[in-house]
Amino acid sequence: MEIKNVHVEYLEDCSVESKEIAILYWELDGHNQFVNKPAQIKKKYILRQHALNQIIFQSSFLEFELECDECNEIKKLKVTNQTHFNQWVREASKSYSTFQCSSCKQAEIDREAIKAEEEREALRNRFKQALDEKKYENLSLFNKELLHHCLTKNFQDLKKHYEKRPGNRNFKQLFSGLYYLESIDLILLQRIENSNTITNLVYLPRLKDEFTYEEPIPETKDPVVLRTKETSKLQIKLTPNHNGNHPDSPQHAGLVTFKQPIKIEADVEYTFAFWPRANGSLYLTLVPTDDIYPAPKQSSISNLPITLQEGIQEFLDNIKPEDL
C-alpha cells in the first residue's frame, strides 16, 4: 500500500486567516510527516483545541490516493485532521499492509453473507434429514433424557440441573451427551468465538413437536416375604386357675402367645403327656408320634373292625402257596 498525490483542498468560503492556519496545519515534509504540531499552532494564534479543530474542519481537508489491491483502481481519500492521516501513514509503512476500496469491501461483505446463508441452509437441511430419519429414537436412555431437558430448559438451568446431581460423572456426561447430540444434527451448540466454551444451544422447532419423552418406569422388585418357620410340636405350661370359685370352673387357665405357627393336622397320630410342675402348674407336650420314633405303622388284623377282618381273611384264604 503506497500513499500518493497528497495535497490540501481549501473550501471556497475559507477566510484568509483560516487558510493561513490551515497551511501551517497541513504542511508536510518529504516523508509524509507533519512539520507543525497542533500545540505550536495553538500557541502562535492563541487558540484552544476545539477552536483549532473547527477552523481546520470548516476551511480545508487533506486528500491523497491509494490503489486498491483487489480491483487495482485508484481511489481518492480525504481526512480532516492530522491524527487520521498519521494512522494511514503508519498502516502504509507495514510490509504486509493492503488497501481495499469501499466497493471491494462491500462486495466481500456480500460474498460472506451469501456464504453464511448457504452454510445455514446446509445446516437446516442436515437437521431436517436427522428428523426425517428419527435419529432421536435410537438414543440411549441418558441422551433421551438429556434431549428432553434441552427442549424444556434454557442452557443455564440445564447446567444447574446436572450440577445438582450427586457425583461429577453426571456433569461430565452432560457435555459428552451434548457433543453427541450435536454430532448427529439434533442440536447446534453456540460457542464463544475461537473457544470451546458453550454459551447456548439451538434446534429446529420441529424437533420439539416430534420428540416425546417418557420417564422410564423403575424396576420394582418383588417384596421379600419372610416366612416364619412353623412347628408341629405343642409345648405349653398350664397355670392354676386361682380365681375359680365355681364348681365348674377350670382347674387351669391363663393366656398364651406362640412365637411361631403351630400346625396340628388331621389323620396324624400325636403323643401327648402331662408333667406336674411347681405351684400346681402342669406342663403339656403334644408331639407327632413319627417325630419321636419314625417307625412303620403296623397293627394286628385282630384289632381291625370285624368286617375288615373277614375281608382280609377271605383274601388270604384264596392265595395258593404254589402261586407265590
Side-chain angles (χ1 to χ4, degrees), residues 78-223:
K78 67 178 183 179
V79 293
T80 57
N81 57 64
Q82 289 184 2
T83 301
H84 288 163
F85 185 71
N86 286 335
Q87 290 173 349
W88 280 106
V89 172
R90 284 195 297 271
E91 188 66 26
S93 66
K94 298 175 182 178
S95 59
Y96 55 84
S97 63
T98 59
F99 171 67
Q100 188 181 44
C101 68
S102 58
S103 299
C104 291
K105 280 183 179 178
Q106 187 59 49
E108 183 179 4
I109 292 172
D110 294 341
R111 288 194 300 270
E112 290 296 327
I114 293 172
K115 181 181 178 182
E117 180 56 33
E118 290 175 347
E119 290 176 350
R120 283 193 294 269
E121 185 61 25
L123 185 63
R124 281 193 291 266
N125 289 334
R126 294 207 326 260
F127 274 41
K128 289 177 183 177
Q129 183 177 354
L131 295 180
D132 290 340
E133 295 175 1
K134 300 185 184 300
K135 289 187 177 181
Y136 48 78
E137 291 185 348
N138 299 321
L139 297 174
S140 66
L141 291 177
F142 179 86
N143 286 333
K144 279 186 178 180
E145 180 189 19
L146 174 58
L147 181 58
H148 167 69
H149 291 311
C150 288
L151 301 179
T152 55
K153 302 178 186 294
N154 62 47
F155 187 66
Q156 295 304 319
D157 290 340
L158 178 69
K159 289 197 298 182
K160 289 178 182 178
H161 177 77
Y162 283 90
E163 283 174 348
K164 290 178 181 178
R165 291 190 170 185
N168 293 326
R169 186 170 177 268
N170 279 299
F171 197 64
K172 292 178 180 178
Q173 276 187 303
L174 164 65
F175 288 96
S176 61
L178 290 175
Y179 296 146
Y180 178 73
L181 293 178
E182 183 181 46
S183 71
I184 61 174
D185 300 323
L186 289 178
I187 64 171
L188 177 65
L189 300 176
Q190 296 180 333
R191 298 172 172 85
I192 296 176
E193 189 174 359
N194 300 322
S195 170
N196 282 328
T197 303
I198 302 171
T199 58
N200 202 358
L201 59 88
V202 293
Y203 47 84
L204 290 182
R206 178 183 155 192
L207 175 61
K208 200 168 186 177
D209 296 333
E210 294 186 10
F211 175 71
T212 55
Y213 175 71
E214 295 183 1
E215 195 81 26
I217 301 174
E219 293 184 3
T220 56
K221 296 182 178 180
D222 294 334

Side-chain angles (χ1 to χ4, degrees), residues 240-253:
N241 181 16
H242 298 294
N243 296 326
N245 298 320
H246 194 274
D248 293 331
S249 295
Q251 294 181 355
H252 296 80

